[in-house]
Amino acid sequence: MNNLQEFIAKAAGDFGVGEDKLQGATSGLLNLISKEADGGNELISALPGADMIMSAASGGGGGGLLGIAGKMLGGNLGQSLGLAGMLKESGLDGDDAGRYVNMLVDFAKSHAGQELVSRVVSSVPQLAG
């Protein structure tokens, strides 16, 4: 896949969840990375389409998962909904949530490289688990 939007569309189809909800969850993950990860902004810059995913979700401002993702810009994800809760709200829970995060990490590695992704993941406890 060439960009993050294509990745999300394919993953939504694979998991049978709404693309808009998965986009909101992904935006929340990216915001978490941007705020808390060592090298987070560098990683986001390396992911084609990440800026559009983040701005679309935060610009929505309404309720639901897109609103939650926008609110995370000013707060700590771990203190608000939590990573597992956010993924569950998108329609993913249990093994599917873990598989989605692993797929997203693999997508990131393909664009940003193993070293940067490993540094980012290890610096965010919610992702490292």
Side-chain angles (χ1 to χ4, degrees):
M1 280 146 283
N2 294 327
N3 66 48
L4 194 54
Q5 185 62 49
E6 291 174 4
F7 169 81
I8 291 169
K10 181 178 181 339
D14 290 350
F15 288 107
V17 298
E19 188 174 332
D20 59 334
K21 288 188 174 192
L22 196 55
Q23 180 173 322
T26 304
S27 176
L29 287 168
L30 295 175
N31 283 313
L32 170 70
I33 289 167
S34 174
K35 291 185 66 68
E36 297 187 16
D38 176 29
N41 289 326
E42 183 182 351
L43 174 63
I44 290 168
S45 294
L47 300 179
D51 54 343
M52 290 174 38
I53 297 296
M54 292 171 72
S55 65
S58 65
L65 193 58
L66 296 180
I68 290 168
K71 291 174 190 170
M72 287 179 203
L73 286 168
N76 181 321
L77 177 63
Q79 294 174 349
S80 58
L81 183 59
L83 180 58
M86 184 176 55
L87 290 169
K88 186 174 182 177
E89 285 292 317
S90 74
L92 300 175
D93 56 11
D95 291 339
D96 284 347
R99 285 184 30 230
Y100 179 71
V101 171
N102 287 334
M103 288 170 58
L104 185 58
V105 167
D106 288 342
F107 174 83
K109 286 177 185 175
S110 73
H111 291 280
Q114 172 75 36
E115 184 178 324
L116 176 58
V117 173
S118 294
R119 181 170 38 123
V120 167
V121 169
S122 68
S123 71
V124 180
Q126 295 95 326
L127 294 176

